[in-house]
Amino acid sequence: MATAKKAAPAKKAAAPVKKAAPAKKAAAPVKKAAAAPAAKKVAAPAKKAAPVKKAAAPAKKRTPNAAFMKALTPSAALAAIVGDKPLPRTDVTKKIWEYIKKHKLQDAVQKRVIVADAKLKEIFGKAKADMFEMTKLVNNHLK
C-alpha cells in the first residue's frame, strides 16, 4: 500500500503539468507571429546570396554551334552589303544590322520593321521586313 500512495501523488503532479501545457500552447502562437517577420528578414539575405553562387558556377565557356560558325559565301546581292568573302551567319547578321543602322532603315515607330532600300530590296524581295523574318530571307542568299 505504501507504493500506491507514492504513485498517487505522482499522477496528481502530472495532471497539473498537462493543464499548464495548453496554456503555453496558447501563448506560443503569439510568439510565432512575432517571430515570423524576423524569419522573413533572415531568409531574404539567403536568397540574395544564391545568385552569387550561380554567377560563379558558369566557369565553362560556351562553345558556339559549328553550323553558325561555318563560313558561307554570300550571293552577289548580299555581297554588296556584307562583302564577297565567306562569313559565318552570325557575322552576316551583324554586318546587315550595321548597314541598317548606318542608313537609318528601321521604322521610326516600330523598330522591329526594316524599311528596305534598293540593296536590301534585292535580298528581302519586298519593301518592308520584320527583323525576325530578316534572317530567314538572308539565308536564301548564303551558300
Side-chain angles (χ1 to χ4, degrees):
M1 286 196 159
T3 57
K5 286 184 182 179
K6 288 181 182 177
K11 286 183 183 177
K12 286 183 182 178
V17 172
K18 288 182 182 178
K19 287 182 183 177
K24 288 181 182 177
K25 286 183 182 177
V30 175
K31 289 181 181 177
K32 285 182 182 177
K40 288 181 182 177
K41 289 179 184 176
V42 172
K47 288 181 182 178
K48 289 181 182 177
V52 174
K53 291 179 183 176
K54 288 181 181 178
K60 296 179 184 177
K61 189 174 181 181
R62 277 185 65 193
T63 56
N65 188 342
F68 286 119
M69 299 315 293
K70 181 182 175 187
L72 300 170
T73 307
S75 68
L78 187 58
I81 297 172
V82 298
D84 58 348
K85 295 180 182 177
L87 295 167
R89 290 178 198 274
T90 53
D91 289 347
V92 170
T93 305
K94 286 178 189 176
K95 289 192 180 220
I96 290 174
W97 272 109
E98 287 173 9
Y99 179 84
I100 290 168
K101 299 225 180 196
K102 180 180 176 183
H103 296 285
K104 299 178 183 175
L105 298 175
Q106 282 181 289
D107 187 38
V109 178
Q110 291 182 318
K111 297 285 187 178
R112 292 185 300 180
V113 176
I114 301 160
V115 181
D117 63 351
K119 290 182 181 179
L120 284 177
K121 221 177 244 189
E122 291 179 38
I123 297 167
F124 294 167
K126 52 187 176 179
K128 291 184 178 184
D130 190 61
M131 63 186 252
F132 301 111
E133 185 182 15
M134 178 187 76
T135 54
K136 179 179 146 186
L137 297 170
V138 168
N139 283 338
N140 296 332
H141 293 273
L142 293 172
K143 296 179 185 177

